[in-house]
Amino acid sequence: MQYDTYLGVRVSPLTYDDILNQVNEMIATNDQATIFAVNPEKIMTARQDDELRHLLNNATFQIPDGVGVLLASKLYNGRVKERVTGVDLSERLLGLANDKGYRVFFYGAKEAVGQKMQARLQERFPNLTIAGYQNGYDDDPDALVDRINESGADMLFVALGSPKQERWINDYRERLNVSVIQGVGGTFDVLAGEVKRAPKITQKLGIEWLYRLLSDPKRWRRQIALPKFLLTLLFNRKQSK
Ligand code: UDP
């Protein structure tokens, strides 16, 4: 598998279509793909946390979720050419499941959010088979693994926030008889309509972060990771020259 590396963390330089095609093949051959989103915040955390870095690098696909990784790729001639966001990729995977009859299981978020999301998805994707749902707050992991396997799910979406979801997926992937496992963070809240996505225009301009910052100023603590990430990259490159 091809990838770029930013401060020790792998990022897949693939488009949505590349990933969907590969995932489709993996379902056909009963292989397993894990998909984790990578952004400056996670890369900066992984710098201090060997275990997290290792488990991010161990995934099949590390998608460039934030504009930060795309910027870094542009600055340093990387192969990442476009963003692949967790929410958009999940929506496309759900579209694929709807068309091909793949079964999907959702794990995470609050019960009410999960119920609302399922109702909305069932309207959007009338042929989608939802094989099961479990909220992310009161679950027994062993019983859950059995439930997921018994449901015959082909795709599993895990929304526990990061790095909880990455750890969970890494711990249980081998016991799960599921072809595609994606860690999706706050995606269920978006699919349920509880959290609004930034307007398309801000996404196009790459200033979704600015919209998020203005609508929730407390986020600056998380967003400071982006300039830190770019500066650290710059510093590291200078040192290695
Ligand atoms: N969540 C959960 N169980 C937990 C902690 C969080 O199900 O123990 C859910 C939470 O309800 C939300 C999602 O995980 O739906 C976390 O979203 P957030 O936006 O914080 O994730 P990020 O993408 O920023 O990591």
Side-chain angles (χ1 to χ4, degrees):
M1 206 66 79
Q2 268 194 343
Y3 50 81
D4 281 1
T5 304
Y6 297 95
L7 302 177
V9 176
R10 292 178 181 180
V11 183
S12 314
L14 301 172
T15 63
Y16 290 105
D17 286 341
D18 294 333
I19 297 177
L20 285 193
N21 287 336
Q22 293 196 29
V23 155
N24 223 352
E25 275 178 28
M26 288 169 125
I27 294 178
T29 52
N30 221 358
D31 283 327
Q32 191 179 65
T34 52
I35 307 171
F36 291 162
V38 171
N39 55 36
E41 195 186 353
K42 282 192 202 173
I43 294 178
M44 294 310 280
T45 311
R47 247 170 90 74
Q48 327 270 349
D49 183 339
D50 289 344
E51 185 219 338
L52 177 64
R53 191 172 64 246
H54 190 69
L55 69 91
L56 286 176
N57 287 343
N58 238 344
T60 317
F61 301 109
Q62 295 83 3
I63 57 170
D65 187 49
V67 71
V69 174
L70 184 64
L71 269 176
S73 173
K74 285 196 170 145
L75 285 171
Y76 299 112
N77 278 325
R79 284 172 295 186
V80 174
K81 294 287 180 264
E82 63 174 51
R83 285 176 70 193
V84 173
T85 72
V87 179
D88 282 325
L89 184 61
S90 331
E91 287 181 331
R92 288 173 199 236
L93 286 169
L94 290 167
L96 182 75
N98 182 66
D99 296 344
K100 301 259 182 184
Y102 300 144
R103 300 166 68 82
V104 302
F105 197 107
F106 298 103
Y107 169 39
K110 298 194 181 104
E111 183 71 27
V113 170
Q115 296 306 335
K116 203 168 159 197
M117 169 186 73
Q118 291 178 77
R120 282 186 145 216
L121 288 177
Q122 214 68 82
E123 273 185 26
R124 257 178 91 182
F125 302 106
N127 297 322
L128 184 70
T129 308
I130 299 179
Y133 170 70
Q134 168 62 50
N135 74 55
Y137 294 91
D138 44 18
D139 45 285
D140 158 6
D142 289 316
L144 179 58
V145 167
D146 289 345
R147 247 187 87 201
I148 296 170
N149 285 336
E150 279 158 20
S151 78
D154 301 292
M155 295 183 184
L156 169 65
F157 298 91
V158 184
L160 302 174
S162 187
K164 201 172 173 189
Q165 66 206 12
E166 286 85 1
R167 293 219 160 89
W168 190 90
I169 293 171
N170 204 52
D171 288 347
Y172 295 102
R173 60 186 287 184
E174 282 179 8
R175 286 175 53 191
L176 288 164
N177 211 346
V178 178
S179 283
V180 185
I181 311 177
Q182 186 187 0
V184 295
T187 295
F188 293 2
D189 303 82
V190 175
L191 295 177
E194 298 283 301
V195 171
K196 293 261 170 303
R197 286 198 79 182
K200 278 260 171 330
I201 181 76
T202 63
Q203 294 177 36
K204 278 220 174 85
L205 294 174
I207 53 164
E208 207 173 339
W209 60 271
L210 182 61
Y211 172 86
R212 294 237 189 93
L213 181 64
L214 293 175
S215 41
D216 182 8
K218 281 197 304 291
R219 283 187 71 92
W220 74 270
R221 276 179 208 284
R222 293 181 64 170
Q223 292 191 333
I224 205 86
L226 196 154
K228 266 196 193 159
F229 164 67
L230 292 175
L231 283 173
T232 312
L233 262 182
L234 181 74
F235 187 70
N236 276 27
R237 301 266 159 163
K238 278 220 168 113
Q239 273 198 330
S240 60
K241 265 186 187 160

